[in-house]
Amino acid sequence: MSSSHAVPGSSPIAETAPLSLCAREPHVPADRLVAEMVPPPRFDSVRFDTYVPDPNQPSQTEAVRVLSDFAAGLGGAHASGSGKRKWFGRKAEAKPSGPRGVYLDGGYGVGKTHLLASLWHATPAAPSLKAFGTFVELTNLVGALGFQQTVRTLSGHRLLCIDEFELDDPGDTVLVSSLLSRLVEEGVALAATSNTLPGKLGEGRFAAADFLREIQGLSAHFRPLRIDGEDYRHRGLPEAPPPFSDEQVTKAAYATPGASLDDFPALLDHLARVHPSRYGALTDGLKAVCLTEVRPVPDQSTALRLVVLADRLYDREVPVLAAGLPFDRLFSDEMLNGGYRKKYFRAISRLTALARDAKGLVAQ
């Protein structure tokens, strides 16, 4: 399906017709799921020394120190083979006491993913011995490989990082908690961030005590590490740029090689037909996403799918140029005051950052 947009007063024939997300129905093989368990492109080059702590938030500086020490402690050979594994090169009976994982406890935009990716990069092990993924990507891996094969696949790893640990679905929480328990037995270190439970309002953050209670038997394996602060994406930055006109967005899509162009309502309908685990593949090769007729999201199921797409676009640094409603008006007051509020605020924050990135696509 190609875009049917026509640019008033111009000849699309002279330029490259934009792509369409609605025309894509990606299928992701299981081996790609494993190979792609690395920090996303946005976090390829992040390191602890590129994290800029807020001088008014000493917990951010402390987090860098603690995580740097944690990474350094993950050196040494990881035993393989049958029977009990060694813990960081030691015999099983010499496993160190205390937490074997860290949980980054903080609100959206304080740099938890930056720090989690920095931990992955700093851990002294080959990339094939470290895994990084969101909770959704991890549950999809279990679905693709099966539980036992996932345990076998990840059990030789030095470190598993889980970003945005989902606590909204009790079944998935139990599944992943069981998986992590098995991996801890095999000597795999853990690091995680999480989202907010339904009904948990207040600070826009998920308290460590609640996270540890939800994962029950795993709680002893995590050291909570609180990271205070405001959303860094808006620290000292201007407000989100106002939306452009449909004509401006369409012209920019035709003038930008590798851009996609879709009507927002049609895209929302298409997302319902693509499993969220494939949204990353949906954006493969895109240089920009151009959307016309942006309007309020009609219901919560649609809103949650849009959140996943926003995360994948942000991970891959794909600018988003939009016409219609500003991104801070996508979600209703009821949604923003409900149990998934943190997800919606994160989506607004990330789409706003991508909208700033897209300003240069429009001819001034």
Side-chain angles (χ1 to χ4, degrees):
M1 168 180 164
S2 61
S3 175
S4 59
H5 292 80
V7 184
S10 68
S11 173
I13 298 176
E15 300 178 84
T16 303
L19 305 167
S20 171
L21 288 172
C22 292
R24 295 183 165 193
E25 297 184 7
H27 296 280
V28 184
D31 57 352
R32 174 175 168 177
L33 296 176
V34 177
E36 290 187 345
M37 291 195 73
V38 297
R42 179 175 285 272
F43 299 98
D44 274 347
S45 60
V46 302
R47 299 294 187 273
F48 288 129
D49 60 6
T50 65
Y51 180 80
V52 182
D54 185 336
N56 297 316
Q57 303 292 347
S59 64
Q60 296 185 6
T61 300
E62 175 67 2
V64 172
R65 185 192 68 77
V66 172
L67 290 172
S68 296
D69 290 346
F70 184 75
L74 299 183
H78 190 304
S80 60
S82 60
K84 287 190 175 291
R85 295 179 182 272
K86 296 180 183 178
W87 174 254
F88 307 146
R90 304 177 187 180
K91 293 183 179 180
E93 59 270 17
K95 287 181 182 178
S97 60
R100 299 172 188 171
V102 289
Y103 165 64
L104 308 187
D105 176 30
Y108 51 87
V110 297
K112 297 192 303 298
T113 302
H114 183 134
L115 290 170
L116 195 66
S118 297
L119 172 63
W120 187 93
H121 287 298
T123 296
S128 60
L129 296 179
K130 302 180 286 187
F132 183 106
T134 65
F135 182 90
V136 170
E137 290 167 332
L138 188 59
T139 56
N140 188 62
L141 184 67
V142 175
L145 300 182
F147 185 86
Q148 296 299 336
Q149 183 58 42
T150 302
V151 171
R152 287 191 290 269
T153 298
L154 297 178
S155 62
H157 283 56
R158 196 81 48 81
L159 172 70
L160 172 61
C161 296
I162 308 140
D163 200 18
E164 299 162 14
F165 200 113
E166 300 276 356
L167 293 152
D168 307 313
D169 185 314
D172 283 346
T173 300
V174 170
L175 171 69
V176 174
S177 293
S178 300
L179 172 65
L180 298 186
S181 295
R182 291 286 300 276
L183 294 179
V184 166
E185 292 174 359
E186 299 293 334
V188 181
L190 307 174
T193 70
S194 73
N195 67 1
T196 307
L197 275 174
K200 292 289 183 182
L201 308 180
E203 298 181 71
R205 61 192 294 277
F206 182 80
D210 294 327
F211 172 80
L212 297 175
R213 183 183 65 248
E214 289 301 314
I215 60 174
Q216 298 177 8
L218 274 175
S219 61
H221 298 300
F222 283 94
R223 170 184 176 175
L225 187 60
R226 177 157 179 159
I227 306 168
D228 297 305
E230 298 178 357
D231 188 340
Y232 79 91
R233 287 181 286 272
H234 302 308
R235 258 190 248 157
L237 294 175
E239 293 297 317
F244 295 95
S245 68
D246 282 353
E247 180 179 350
Q248 288 175 304
V249 169
T250 304
K251 284 184 176 179
Y254 274 94
T256 304
S260 66
L261 177 62
D262 293 278
D263 292 328
F264 188 66
L267 176 59
L268 295 183
D269 289 343
H270 184 62
L271 292 180
R273 297 187 290 271
V274 178
H275 192 276
S277 65
R278 300 174 181 173
Y279 288 2
L282 191 68
T283 67
D284 280 353
L286 288 184
K287 302 302 181 184
V289 166
C290 298
L291 301 172
T292 58
E293 300 181 28
V294 173
R295 60 187 65 174
V297 178
D299 57 74
Q300 189 143 265
S301 294
T302 303
L304 291 172
R305 288 191 289 267
L306 180 61
V307 167
V308 177
L309 179 63
D311 287 342
R312 300 293 83 79
L313 291 171
Y314 183 78
D315 289 345
R316 289 158 174 78
E317 301 182 286
V318 181
V320 178
L321 189 68
L325 203 68
F327 285 136
D328 60 3
R329 292 170 57 192
L330 282 174
F331 307 108
S332 68
D333 288 342
E334 181 180 3
M335 292 178 184
L336 294 179
N337 289 311
Y340 299 105
R341 68 188 301 270
K342 183 177 179 182
K343 290 187 177 184
Y344 299 142
F345 279 113
R346 184 180 77 233
I348 292 171
S349 173
R350 291 183 165 186
L351 289 171
T352 294
L354 296 177
R356 292 193 187 105
D357 294 344
K359 286 179 65 177
L361 299 179
V362 177
Q364 302 298 320

